[in-house]
Amino acid sequence: MILRIAETEADLYTREKVVPFYYCGYVKAFSSPYFLHFKDVGILFQDKQYNGISLRWMVCFTEKRRTLLISEEKNKLVFETSPNRTLYTRFIEQGKVLLEPDEYGITHGSNEYSSIILDKGRQEIIRLEFTADALKQEKLSDAAKHWHDGFEQEKSWLYGRGKIDSTLQQLFNDIINTPANTPEEEAVFGARCQDILLHVAAEHIPA
């Protein structure tokens, strides 16, 4: 994943392993955190990668309205949501998309930037990402096959959206609040991520 703030130069940021004390209350258990300092924007960032699956937890703090640009080094299927406020995203061809805190979006991520509009305050973002190889794993291949068409296109777009029911909410809570450090913990992490995809796919498989 590549992050930029549209209103600043691309390389004007610092990455620190020590998270400022004020932001420590937002750290989740699944991975070690670090902190990105952009001009006008601070981002608490955590990620975990396992067998072509990536989980990202970002908490963005800003005093001014800013645009967070996101692109991927590899094409991915992405589930994203914001637990604490409306997620205002933009895609080059589709334009503005608003996701409420009880909704998730299903997107195709590529090296074409999509963007998230950050209003003053705090924006929490969960992104669960699957590479093409991850989608071809035996447990997922049938459920994910309708997302394979056009997967190699170097464009970013929204496939669709859905409501976060109690089962999906619990799955998200489990993966971000459970350590995933040992091989055994990583295996559980991977299985839970697959369960999220299967749960979402059941709602979006064409008839």
Side-chain angles (χ1 to χ4, degrees):
M1 172 188 277
I2 300 170
L3 300 177
R4 282 188 54 199
I5 301 298
E7 292 82 2
T8 64
E9 296 293 330
D11 57 350
L12 289 182
Y13 73 96
T14 60
R15 171 175 166 165
E16 299 178 5
K17 291 184 178 180
V18 178
V19 175
F21 178 78
Y22 175 80
Y23 307 108
C24 289
Y26 301 101
V27 174
K28 300 301 182 181
F30 73 97
S31 71
S32 298
Y34 55 91
F35 202 82
L36 301 175
H37 284 277
F38 294 88
K39 183 180 180 182
D40 301 325
V41 180
I43 301 177
L44 170 67
F45 191 95
Q46 293 177 255
D47 70 333
K48 178 68 181 180
Q49 300 181 34
Y50 180 77
N51 288 348
I53 302 170
S54 301
L55 174 65
R56 326 271 192 183
W57 167 249
M58 297 183 286
V59 187
C60 307
F61 305 88
T62 179
E63 291 297 320
K64 298 179 180 179
R65 184 180 173 94
R66 289 291 180 257
T67 306
L68 177 64
L69 301 176
I70 300 175
S71 68
E72 301 287 351
E73 295 176 345
K74 290 183 177 181
N75 290 359
K76 294 178 180 178
L77 178 72
V78 181
F79 303 144
E80 63 181 352
T81 185
S82 177
N84 75 312
R85 66 197 301 183
T86 300
L87 187 63
Y88 178 173
T89 63
R90 292 190 69 89
F91 298 89
I92 289 178
E93 293 188 2
Q94 290 174 299
K96 179 175 69 174
V97 176
L98 297 178
L99 296 172
E100 297 303 324
D102 64 345
E103 292 183 309
Y104 62 84
I106 310 169
T107 68
H108 178 77
S110 72
N111 62 13
E112 179 182 81
Y113 279 106
S114 61
S115 61
I116 294 175
I117 307 302
L118 302 175
D119 284 322
K120 180 179 179 179
R122 184 182 87 253
Q123 179 93 54
E124 300 173 358
I125 302 165
I126 300 173
R127 286 173 60 94
L128 184 59
E129 307 168 356
F130 296 82
T131 64
D133 288 340
L135 296 178
K136 293 173 184 175
Q137 294 175 23
E138 183 177 358
K139 184 177 179 180
L140 302 181
S141 58
D142 287 343
K145 62 185 178 182
H146 61 294
W147 285 314
H148 288 178
D149 293 341
F151 201 84
E152 297 308 315
Q153 291 188 42
E154 297 298 341
K155 291 183 177 295
S156 297
W157 69 81
L158 178 79
Y159 284 111
R161 68 176 76 208
K163 289 288 186 179
I164 298 177
D165 59 20
S166 59
T167 299
L168 189 56
Q169 183 66 63
Q170 187 61 54
L171 287 168
F172 275 126
N173 287 341
D174 288 343
I175 59 171
I176 65 175
N177 290 305
T178 303
N181 301 312
T182 69
E184 293 80 10
E185 290 170 345
E186 287 183 327
V188 172
F189 168 83
R192 284 174 171 165
C193 292
Q194 291 179 329
D195 287 344
I196 289 175
L197 185 145
L198 293 172
H199 186 84
V200 171
E203 301 294 324
H204 290 272
I205 293 177

